[in-house]
Amino acid sequence: MRVSRRSSVDPFIVMDVMEAARQAEAAGRHIIHMEVGQPGTGAPKAAASALADAMGRESLGYTVALGLPALRARIARLYGEWYDVDLDPQRVIITPGSSGGFILAFTALFDTGDRVGIGAPGYPSYRQILRALDLCPVDIATAPENRFQPVASDLEGRDLAGLMVASPANPTGTMLDKAALGSLIDAAAGQGASFISDEIYHGIEYEAKAVTALQVTDEAYVINSFSKYFSMTGWRVGWLVVPEDHVRVIERIAQNMFICAPHASQIAALAAMDAEDELQANMDVYRANRKLMLEGLPEAGFTKIAPPDGAFYVYADVSEMTDDSRAFAAEILEQAGVAVTPGLDFDPLRGHQTLRFSYARSTADIAEGLARLKAFMQAR
Ligand SMILES: Cc1ncc(COP(=O)(O)O)c(C=O)c1O
């Protein structure tokens, strides 16, 4: 049977690393996981108990397409708490993870062949989802001196219908401050490009609070999720904030594409939002891990790193060690027993000379991983 041209998207290389790590574990080896982009912790306890209560009480059928009104209202309140932004709950739409949010956003905003700018390095699925929707991803090669974030001048002459940014970003953890975000929003508006802000790592920030696009403008799509700060990757629940006149557009697409985000997950997510103590305890772990990474990676020889403002990743330039990051990652897995992600996932052009290290797991794992990396590099 024939397959469509647009279905020929690239695999997610980190999944191949995870599979290689799994095979090593199945063969009896102990592997430290610095490849995975997810918290080692589960959902907050309050989320699980709210769901257990609801299961005894409700049938958990479909919700309305836009999501549980109580959850939309609670998310709107979060914008007041985190950013002092007064947000109308009607503009909040619950999605099946932020991944579902991308599909809704790209479908609502763009037509076949439209050019959408994405930063490189960046989260790989932006490119692949755009391609699968017959849209044209435009890689914007970001510079280390701009902390791997696009700047307004990068947009000149690009003829973009959209611009997607992430702050804090994956794989670098770097953030855009309000001025930088504002100038990108202006530059995008200047060429009639819709602005999409991936804010999935908000809440996981170390030095300064992340800025939401909604502090700058209402004319943007904001994408967020319960996967990272709220530690609920597998629950598949996230949200979009869209301009008021786009709510009905998204609602119609969501009704047809997804019907709704999982009802059970929406109930759990609502309870998770008040589990501040537990979530802050997770943050304490990330903070300790980040400190270990920023000391330990240079000691091991990975000196070209940009200190992350948020998220739980360090992106390292390993050009002095390899120009084949995939083979290098395989060597590290084989010899050091540490799984890391080759940069090619994030930057098809320059990623053969970079690696991403995740520090989302326990502090004991991070300490052990760093010790192994150090020994590996000394023996090399
Ligand atoms: C920047 C970024 N956006 C979006 C996602 C997708 O997250 P989810 O669909 O679980 O909300 C990820 C996952 O790692 C990510 O790193």
Side-chain angles (χ1 to χ4, degrees), residues 184-337:
L184 281 173
I185 288 174
D186 288 347
Q191 56 182 273
S194 302
F195 192 84
I196 308 174
S197 181
D198 181 349
E199 302 184 356
I200 186 170
Y201 291 104
H202 280 219
I204 307 180
E205 58 244 334
Y206 304 103
E207 307 287 345
K209 184 84 200 87
V211 180
T212 172
L214 299 180
Q215 284 169 267
V216 179
T217 180
D218 284 324
E219 284 300 302
Y221 272 41
V222 166
I223 299 190
N224 209 322
S225 173
F226 286 90
S227 289
K228 309 293 174 168
Y229 176 68
F230 296 100
S231 192
M232 295 177 65
T233 45
W235 297 72
R236 310 312 304 137
V237 59
W239 72 89
L240 282 177
V241 182
V242 303
E244 206 180 317
D245 56 341
H246 282 234
V247 174
R248 181 64 182 149
V249 180
I250 294 283
E251 184 177 28
R252 283 186 272 120
I253 304 169
Q255 286 168 338
N256 287 288
M257 279 195 179
F258 303 117
I259 303 189
C260 63
H263 191 159
S265 303
Q266 296 190 54
I267 288 176
L270 178 58
M273 294 189 77
D274 288 323
E276 196 51 25
D277 290 349
E278 210 175 317
L279 298 170
Q280 282 306 318
N282 294 347
M283 278 305 299
D284 292 341
V285 174
Y286 300 145
R287 228 172 262 120
N289 292 357
R290 174 179 181 264
K291 189 164 178 291
L292 285 182
M293 293 292 273
L294 292 181
E295 289 161 6
L297 284 176
E299 276 171 24
F302 298 101
T303 49
K304 290 190 175 173
I305 54 177
D309 306 310
F312 33 57
Y313 309 112
V314 178
Y315 199 53
D317 176 337
V318 291
S319 54
E320 282 162 13
M321 302 157 208
T322 188
D323 53 14
D324 184 349
S325 58
R326 225 173 159 151
F328 192 37
E331 191 186 332
I332 294 175
L333 179 63
E334 172 60 32
Q335 292 181 25

